[in-house]
Amino acid sequence: MEPISRIRAARWADRQAVAALIADALHPSPLAAWLVPDPASRRQVLTDVLAIWVEHALFFGDVHLTDDLTAAIVGFHRYRPLPPPANYPTRLLEAAGAHADRFTALEGLLAQKQPTEPHYHLAFLAVGTADQKTGRGSALLAHHRSRLDRIDLPSWTAVPAGAEHLLTRYGYTPRPPVIVSNGPSLCPMRRSAHHASSPMPINPTRSVGNRWQDQHA
């Protein structure tokens, strides 16, 4: 196995490359096919929508990546409800076109499952298709785990059904699946704070904001 490149915080200039990387990892998945049924435009639409969220994470969370730009992890610090990206409805429509309603529907579905108390939202974990199964996803999650333990926040995420195995090794516990209407299943997962004494609620009574995400390590 080749050595893992250094992990560093993303810079503003990295945002498009990170969006393209996540789109590359997401592209073969059933979730991507559901979000953008048209295969000819799928990769570009995914990249353009993801760029909005990567940019937003640089303001309200963090983005870390390997120095060779082959893997990235994106998350949000949810100490309180976050505002949506600037001009989000307009930007989403420009990015997704006729597919915008599907992104909105997925955001709403996941928001119903997201915790309401302060937590870290692991939104995206992606390894480029040519570099999967090389330890990059594990290296990013180990880095992520050490940061979570320092800030002592619980964490929440949602992954495609069948992709839970990697996150379970880093303390995440699967929750009941979310079924996308006429689409794939997603598995919400949570990780307790390092010194947490009580679990996070599975079905909160109010949402903290809309997000869609996929993890592909």
Side-chain angles (χ1 to χ4, degrees):
M1 181 182 296
E2 62 182 282
I4 304 300
S5 178
R6 180 178 71 94
I7 295 172
R8 63 171 174 84
R11 297 182 285 267
W12 183 254
D14 296 318
R15 66 192 188 283
Q16 290 295 334
V18 171
L21 171 65
I22 301 171
D24 178 57
L26 178 62
H27 186 268
S29 71
L31 178 61
W34 182 83
L35 286 167
V36 188
D38 176 18
S41 63
R42 185 175 302 150
R43 190 181 300 273
Q44 188 61 56
V45 169
L46 291 172
T47 301
D48 291 346
V49 175
L50 283 160
I52 299 172
W53 290 107
V54 172
E55 175 184 310
H56 200 51
L58 289 169
F59 288 107
F60 292 100
D62 49 54
V63 180
H64 287 82
L65 67 159
T66 55
D67 223 9
D68 58 4
L69 296 176
T70 58
I73 191 166
V74 178
F76 294 88
H77 297 276
R78 293 185 169 275
Y79 295 103
R80 58 188 179 277
L82 297 181
N87 303 314
Y88 182 58
T90 299
R91 295 175 68 188
L92 178 62
L93 187 60
E94 290 174 349
H99 310 294
D101 286 348
R102 296 202 172 207
F103 286 90
T104 301
L106 182 58
E107 291 165 9
L109 183 64
L110 292 175
Q112 296 173 21
K113 302 296 181 180
Q114 196 161 357
T116 58
E117 69 267 62
H119 66 284
Y120 184 91
H121 173 199
L122 172 55
F124 307 101
L125 170 64
V127 179
T129 53
D131 296 286
Q132 291 172 16
K133 301 187 184 302
T134 60
R136 284 169 168 79
S138 295
L140 281 171
L141 280 173
H143 182 264
H144 166 72
R145 179 176 59 188
S146 67
R147 290 168 45 242
L148 281 182
D149 288 346
R150 286 197 299 273
I151 62 177
D152 200 27
L153 274 182
S155 182
W156 182 90
T157 189
V159 298
E164 306 95 328
H165 62 283
L166 181 61
L167 284 111
T168 59
R169 301 209 306 263
Y170 292 88
Y172 284 85
T173 302
R175 293 306 191 192
V178 174
I179 309 298
V180 179
S181 179
N182 299 314
S185 297
L186 295 174
C187 180
M189 302 185 75
R190 59 166 289 273
R191 181 183 188 271
S192 296
H194 191 53
H195 300 295
S197 58
S198 61
M200 295 161 60
I202 299 173
N203 294 308
T205 57
R206 65 178 177 82
S207 66
V208 292
N210 294 337
R211 296 291 184 270
W212 67 278
Q213 62 278 308
D214 173 73
Q215 283 74 47
H216 194 107

